[in-house]
Amino acid sequence: MSEAPAPPKKEKSAPQKAMDKLDLRRDIDLALHLPLRYEDETRLTPVAALRDGDTAQVEGVVTHCEVQFRPRRQLVARLDDGTGTLVMRFINFYPNHQKTLAAGQRVRVRGEARGGFFGIEMVHPTFRGVGEDTPLASALTPVYPTTASLPQAYLRKAVAGGLKRADLSEIVPAPLVPAGMWGLRASLRFLHEPTPDVSLMDLEDHTHPAWQRLKFEELLAQQLSQLQAKREREHQRAPKFKVVAGGLQERLLGALPFTLTEAQRRVVEEIARDLQREVPMHRLLQGDVGSGKTVVAALAAAVVMNDGWQCALMAPTEILAEQHFRKLIGWLEPLGIRIAWLTGSRKGKARREMLEAVASGDAALVVGTHAVIQADVTFKRLGLAIIDEQHRFGVAQRLALREKLVDPVAGLEPHLLMMSATPIPRTLAMTLFADLDVSTIDELPPGRTPIVTKVFSDAKRDGVIHTIAQEAAGGRQVYWVCPLIEESETLDLKNATETHQQLVAALPQQVVGLLHGRMPAAEKAAVMAEFTAGRMQLLVSTTVIEVGVDVPNASLMVIEHAERFGLSQLHQLRGRVGRGSVASVCVLLYTPPLSDTGKSRLRAMVDTQDGFEIARRDLEIRGPGEFMGARQSGAPLLRFADMELDEDLVRVARAAAEVMLDRHAEAAEQHVARWLGAKSDYLKA
Ligand code: ADP
Ligand code: MG
């Protein structure tokens, strides 16, 4: 007997696909998709009462409609509501516009009023034909977050359906819900269809009690999944290492050309303590640019390698990975450690040989880009994975790393050390990284002279070039950074190339190199090598040098169009100088006029060199949502709550999550599933 043929698969419509993309799959997802804002379609405004800038709804009869050709082709209709005449203009229009807006038709129009030359106007208002007694909306009309291929009307219907069907019963045990908070069902109903008497302000700034409930729910889900991840990890097993006298760590310490700072010593201790436990370490090492995180990583690796296990060090760019590779070779090869080097550009025989060395365990340390976690890489036994500039990696990559690295034989998890020069503000640490241990290097190595930061308008460019010539003549080196142009790599390149040519012409005595993202890796490496060796005086570059590059003889950094960079990026870039004992200068060139945020960023750069203070100001200027950035968080972690503003609620949710996990495990699971669905994995990364 043959099976009945499967029903033909229906192709999904564009809006359905868009809904999938927004993760609006389950009824509950739809019910939890809350409005961004509301439109008040519950009342009509008389045309005579419209003021310039008002967004309002008007109803009347069309008196005239025609296509005009001057100053450009457009549809112009006039509407009379008995109090006055409103002009509507449509630059883009379709035949059915003309039908609905034909003279004599009654229409309801909504848009922004403008006081135009011919009286009050609306450009591209929304409109629909109505009868004399078509009722007005009885609730505010929600406007949902959406994408271009998902029309608001379609989404509204879908959400209304989801809201009706979804199971909105209370999952959180009543005693854990803060007193006075609304119920979940009532809150959701209200937020999707608020009655017109409510203050739009309360609704839109998320202070209304219904919003409080939703924010609490969301934060609770987030805290639960983090606590869960933490507890799961406590049950995982990792290899346990010993720090022994005369071991590799001690020998490396003895061989270093400098002594550790007090802060470095402390964090090396903290890490060593973790490595001696059989619970996998999950530690973030944060320290300002130049604070010396690499050597701390090497000292951690030494503990692991001393016991015959392998380590992986992953960096976000090839240039940075190569810098690490060179530095680590210098430190570790004399001690008999073999280091493998894996990046995307390394192919063929060289790659095969490296892979063999990694698989056999001959290579104790593997350094590279995310090529380190590619499918064909297998470790003999990996004890420690180190991620440099961890915020530059996507969450998906971090997840892949963890999956990849579990030792298939013994089922042991590797220890994980993440490094970052962007310190996490306290509230973020409490919420998004609640399951992470943090070590901080709060001191720079001695002998660094502070960097003087100067801000000049681009008109002073010639003077800056003159300074470059002086620095170069004194035997020092200079970076010139060109900005990213609106995410266009081509323009980006053109700009950097032109600047390079200009500087080559202006500085005939000096060797001026160029570095950009489109160059083949080998060429990049060659340019970097020239600069590192001191044979090149000026390096013109796009932001590829943003992270981690270490050339102590560089004393001047010029950042062109500094107003286009983010604050933490500027700080990272500036950190490329001031690494040796020569006094260093950072010049921020800007092109007027400066926006207010541009001004505050440049001011912050002049005011302080402290990475933590910079992060604080950045948070202030940008707000925490953006601070995290999609790249950093990998998923829209908090949609409704605001980590800064809702700090109190975060605490309440935190406490509730602990109790819920201990005493209501099943409800905890249900709550996380309801809120996060498939996304909960992301929170554990
Ligand atoms: P970052 O924390 O930005 O990654 P690096 O690890 O690149 O900093 O260190 C910056 C520079 O300081 C490197 O040249 C490194 O060798 C050097 N360094 C690190 N620790 C010390 C120390 N304790 N004393 C002197 N120099 C140090
Ligand atoms: Mg570094």
Side-chain angles (χ1 to χ4, degrees):
M1 228 176 71
S2 65
E3 281 179 42
K9 269 213 185 104
K10 256 215 239 141
E11 209 15 62
K12 282 193 174 173
S13 68
Q16 270 169 332
K17 282 188 200 152
M19 294 228 298
D20 282 355
K21 252 210 174 128
L22 289 173
D23 264 323
L24 299 174
R25 295 164 203 270
R26 307 170 301 170
D27 289 334
I28 188 71
D29 297 331
L30 287 162
L32 295 175
H33 193 64
L34 292 174
L36 274 180
R37 56 188 177 82
Y38 302 88
E39 283 172 357
D40 188 351
E41 295 177 353
T42 63
R43 14 175 202 181
L44 296 174
T45 307
V47 171
L50 286 178
R51 293 284 163 270
D52 188 54
D54 285 354
T55 296
Q57 180 168 251
V58 169
E59 184 177 311
V61 176
V62 179
T63 54
H64 185 81
C65 180
E66 67 172 354
V67 178
Q68 292 182 354
F69 293 90
R70 233 158 274 168
R72 56 185 292 193
R73 187 168 180 272
Q74 55 181 305
L75 182 70
V76 179
R78 284 166 196 284
L79 169 145
D80 194 321
D81 76 342
T83 72
T85 301
L86 173 75
V87 177
M88 294 179 269
R89 288 183 194 279
F90 300 87
I91 312 298
N92 303 307
F93 58 92
Y94 301 98
N96 66 343
H97 276 63
Q98 276 155 286
K99 225 154 96 198
T100 313
L101 295 173
Q105 299 289 335
R106 172 171 286 273
V107 286
R108 206 169 274 170
V109 181
R110 198 190 142 76
E112 193 180 327
R114 287 263 162 251
F117 190 63
F118 300 103
I120 266 285
E121 297 191 348
M122 285 186 186
V123 178
H124 283 207
T126 57
F127 62 93
R128 66 189 175 109
V130 290
E132 294 254 9
D133 45 11
T134 306
L136 285 165
S138 59
L140 296 178
T141 310
V143 179
Y144 293 105
T146 187
T147 55
S149 50
L150 181 55
Q152 202 52 244
Y154 185 100
L155 182 56
R156 263 182 209 142
K157 230 188 201 153
V159 169
L163 183 65
K164 223 175 264 153
R165 291 185 304 267
D167 170 16
L168 301 178
S169 55
E170 294 284 330
I171 291 178
V172 185
L176 294 183
V177 179
M181 255 187 198
W182 284 28
L184 178 65
R185 188 192 311 270
S187 301
L188 281 174
R189 289 257 162 87
F190 181 81
L191 291 175
H192 286 291
E193 296 164 7
T195 46
D197 57 325
V198 68
S199 137
L200 266 181
M201 278 284 276
D202 284 1
L203 275 184
E204 288 181 359
D205 73 5
H206 292 195
T207 53
H208 190 278
W211 270 120
Q212 291 294 319
R213 175 60 200 257
L214 268 298
K215 290 200 274 193
F216 169 72
E217 290 261 317
E218 174 180 52
L219 287 168
L220 181 63
Q222 188 219 29
Q223 293 296 319
L224 278 172
S225 76
Q226 297 226 337
L227 280 179
Q228 251 166 1
K230 187 167 188 174
R231 292 186 184 190
E232 271 168 35
R233 225 180 27 255
E234 313 252 289
H235 293 290
Q236 290 168 351
R237 287 292 158 259
K240 209 169 135 172
F241 301 105
K242 278 205 234 22
V243 183
V244 291
L248 197 57
Q249 194 188 58
E250 202 178 290
R251 281 186 285 143
L252 174 55
L253 268 175
L256 287 175
F258 48 76
T259 47
L260 296 188
T261 60
E262 204 39 54
Q264 282 172 317
R265 230 190 304 269
R266 174 171 42 78
V267 302
V268 165
E269 269 295 302
E270 284 166 2
I271 294 166
R273 226 174 293 140
D274 286 355
L275 293 174
Q276 295 177 74
R277 296 178 63 208
E278 57 183 354
V279 176
M281 169 170 78
H282 200 66
R283 187 171 284 279
L284 175 71
L285 171 60
Q286 53 180 22
D288 210 344
V289 271
S291 61
K293 295 183 289 293
T294 318
V295 70
V296 172
L299 287 163
V303 174
V304 171
M305 296 187 295
N306 192 58
D307 270 357
W309 286 68
Q310 290 167 293
C311 297
L313 174 74
M314 212 162 77
T317 67
E318 209 151 296
I319 288 188
L320 188 53
E322 170 150 5
Q323 287 245 340
H324 284 325
F325 180 59
R326 292 191 187 288
K327 193 151 259 177
L328 291 166
I329 279 197
W331 287 335
L332 289 166
E333 261 192 358
L335 302 174
I337 294 294
R338 180 158 173 213
I339 307 180
W341 159 242
L342 276 181
T343 66
S345 65
R346 188 156 243 229
K347 301 208 169 79
K349 184 149 165 283
R351 180 172 174 86
R352 272 199 307 280
E353 277 172 15
M354 284 296 162
L355 291 182
E356 273 162 32
V358 177
S360 69
D362 282 352
L365 179 57
V366 183
V367 179
T369 55
H370 52 263
V372 168
I373 49 168
Q374 234 90 94
D376 60 347
V377 185
T378 42
F379 292 87
K380 177 141 180 273
R381 44 183 198 165
L382 184 71
L384 169 67
I386 303 166
I387 309 183
D388 194 16
E389 310 292 345
Q390 67 96 23
H391 59 282
R392 299 270 309 233
F393 286 97
V395 173
Q397 280 168 325
R398 275 185 264 159
L399 277 176
L401 176 80
R402 280 190 56 199
E403 255 157 47
K404 164 112 213 138
L405 298 183
V406 180
D407 177 11
V409 186
L412 291 178
E413 289 259 340
H415 296 279
L416 195 57
L417 179 65
M418 292 164 273
M419 306 199 284
S420 174
T422 308
I424 306 175
R426 197 176 50 90
T427 33
L428 280 185
M430 193 170 72
T431 52
L432 290 182
F433 298 105
D435 67 329
L436 210 63
D437 295 310
V438 179
S439 289
T440 305
I441 307 182
D442 51 8
E443 162 187 23
L444 292 179
R448 302 262 165 95
T449 30
I451 307 166
V452 176
T453 301
K454 295 180 178 167
V455 177
F456 293 127
S457 132
D458 196 56
K460 299 270 172 65
R461 203 182 170 94
D462 288 345
V464 173
I465 294 174
H466 182 68
T467 312
I468 295 177
Q470 283 176 334
E471 286 296 298
R476 288 174 299 272
Q477 291 166 278
V478 180
Y479 294 102
W480 183 294
V481 181
C482 305
L484 204 74
I485 298 167
E486 297 289 315
E487 306 195 343
S488 154
E489 230 182 312
T490 327
L491 270 183
D492 201 21
L493 194 61
K494 182 164 168 285
N495 178 283
T497 316
E498 279 172 9
T499 305
H500 176 243
Q501 281 164 358
Q502 193 187 59
L503 290 167
V504 167
L507 296 162
Q509 313 286 321
Q510 316 301 344
V511 181
V512 181
L514 173 64
L515 196 67
H516 59 75
R518 285 277 186 87
M519 272 157 68
E523 217 174 293
K524 269 191 226 167
V527 172
M528 251 349 265
E530 286 296 289
F531 192 67
T532 309
R535 288 189 292 268
M536 179 183 288
Q537 285 74 46
L538 174 59
L539 180 60
V540 178
S541 137
T542 53
T543 48
V544 287
I545 61 146
E546 180 188 342
V547 285
V549 173
D550 185 30
V551 178
N553 191 46
S555 63
L556 174 60
M557 155 86 46
V558 181
I559 305 176
E560 202 179 353
H561 279 298
E563 76 278 6
R564 294 193 191 157
F565 290 91
L567 191 46
S568 69
Q569 210 180 6
L570 287 174
H571 179 64
Q572 289 267 340
L573 284 169
R574 179 172 58 182
R576 300 308 116 218
V577 293
R579 301 198 144 221
S581 51
V582 283
S584 297
V585 175
C586 174
V587 171
L588 304 175
L589 282 180
Y590 70 91
T591 306
L594 272 180
S595 68
D596 283 348
T597 52
K599 257 182 228 154
S600 356
R601 282 200 297 260
L602 299 188
R603 166 121 318 268
M605 286 294 291
V606 172
D607 285 353
T608 179
Q609 217 180 307
D610 173 351
F612 282 80
E613 177 62 15
I614 296 261
R616 201 190 58 72
R617 299 245 197 142
D618 202 18
L619 196 63
E620 208 174 84
I621 299 171
R622 294 201 284 166
E626 231 192 292
F627 182 87
M628 286 302 295
R631 186 167 51 184
Q632 199 160 347
S633 60
L637 294 172
L638 288 176
R639 290 183 282 163
F640 311 133
D642 177 315
M643 279 166 301
E644 284 285 286
L645 300 177
D646 299 316
E647 204 177 319
D648 292 342
L649 212 47
V650 172
R651 271 177 232 288
V652 175
R654 176 87 189 160
E658 305 252 3
V659 178
M660 211 159 149
L661 267 192
D662 284 338
R663 295 196 222 137
H664 310 275
E666 204 173 319
E669 209 163 293
Q670 283 171 6
H671 184 75
V672 172
R674 172 185 270 180
W675 268 88
L676 302 170
K679 289 191 284 279
S680 63
D681 265 356
Y682 276 92
L683 284 174
K684 294 180 188 171

